[in-house]
Amino acid sequence: MTTNARIRPRGTAALALTAVLALTATACGDDGSGAAGDKGGEGSGKGEITFWDNNTAVRHDIWKEIIKDFEKENPDIDVKYVGVPAESVQSKYDTAIQGGGLPDVGGVGAAMLAGIAAQDALEPLDKRLDGSALKGKLNTGMVDSVRAAGGGSDLFTVPTSASNGVLYYRTDLFESAGLDAPTTWSKFYEAAGKLTDQKANRFGYTIRGGEGSIAQALDAMYGQSGIGSFWDGDETTVNHPKNVAALKKYAALYKKATPSADLNNDFTKMNAQWDNGQIGMLSHNLGSYADHVKALGKDKFRGLPNPTTDAGVRVQVSNPVDGLGLFKSSKKKKAAWKFIEFAASHASNSKWNESAGAIPANTDAAKDSWVKRAEPTKLAAAALNNGSTKIVQLPYYLPDWNTISKAENEPDFQKVLLGKMSAKDFLDSLAEQLDKAQAEWQKQSQ
């Protein structure tokens, strides 16, 4: 199939909003739920509110603790917890935006923020934050990231965490093989080869070929090329020759230094495989640190910031920032905002991020002692704050970013892994889609 045949006309933010407002929304009674475009209301500050957790498979228990703490402090408010698996949360929001049933509060990551905000589903939060105890207590970089992801003007989510990319490696296996820590890409590739013994079912690396593969591939690609910007004028840099060469080398690891099952592995299967098997390295993020400690203990692995080039340059794609959004259709915004404030406060934000091993958005929580004890979190925070890391900001603001970076290109990345599509053809196709989406966004923004 040709590149041009693959690209279909895309909806812009304005068209998405028009389409949603044209729908006949289902009225949803007094439970605070509704569809995008509903005005909602402040309410009395009491009653039941609904909260959607956007990653229930991993953080269900800690949210239950935070909710219990909140209800103890606010006895007139009950929080109805709804867990949504990360892989289906986007579609669940989209369905509710069109047909009704949105929550009062929901977890909204930066990658999906633009598409939801473009449909007029989220309440702008700047005024609420200015009058809140949270003012001046949130990491400015994370605030800037979610503001940019939402379109650059209004703040549509209160950031709660950043989960930077991490290269986890088995220290016991490295020591047995006499290998240095994989602090550079050269050392990474050397270790991937030397730790692989296919006959013994041992592999140097586990590569993500299933759901969520594109973001990880971009991280490895830009990390190796050292290119520090996603755009060069009006054109993306994803298909720059250096990026093409980097992706080609990275994808060539599949089945040579990685298990064949990696072709379909998402992060859950990939992490479980690393925890249980004889695999030397794993690229994921800070969110899985606590789970690795449970599986392996602290003595068998380390987590480092992404490798540098041989020249010492560390580049990573924008660190994923998660946050909590207040939905415009809520009829109990006063109570819902109280919950957001509580969840982003020092104690709650520290509790959640310690469980996840992520970097807290609350600046007081970021100073807590557990951050220093969790080495990957400490190193990731230092790499971000000391200026040694170049961040390639992904275009989360594009309403079509989530679709382009997932459903439309994950199958083609699998073809690259299988050798059925070249890295150049894949990146040229991706670049054409991105340039088109960027041009449409710029046109609508004028």
Side-chain angles (χ1 to χ4, degrees), residues 278-301:
Q278 294 295 313
I279 298 175
M281 295 177 290
L282 160 75
S283 295
H284 192 229
N285 58 47
L286 292 168
S288 60
Y289 172 70
D291 299 316
H292 300 321
V293 171
K294 290 179 183 178
L296 300 170
K298 290 186 176 182
D299 297 331
K300 289 186 177 180
F301 81 98

Side-chain angles (χ1 to χ4, degrees), residues 413-433:
F413 181 66
Q414 290 179 320
K415 292 179 183 178
V416 175
L417 294 179
L418 291 169
K420 296 181 179 180
M421 187 177 195
S422 71
K424 185 178 187 305
D425 287 347
F426 170 74
L427 291 176
D428 283 345
S429 173
L430 178 59
E432 188 171 353
Q433 295 170 64

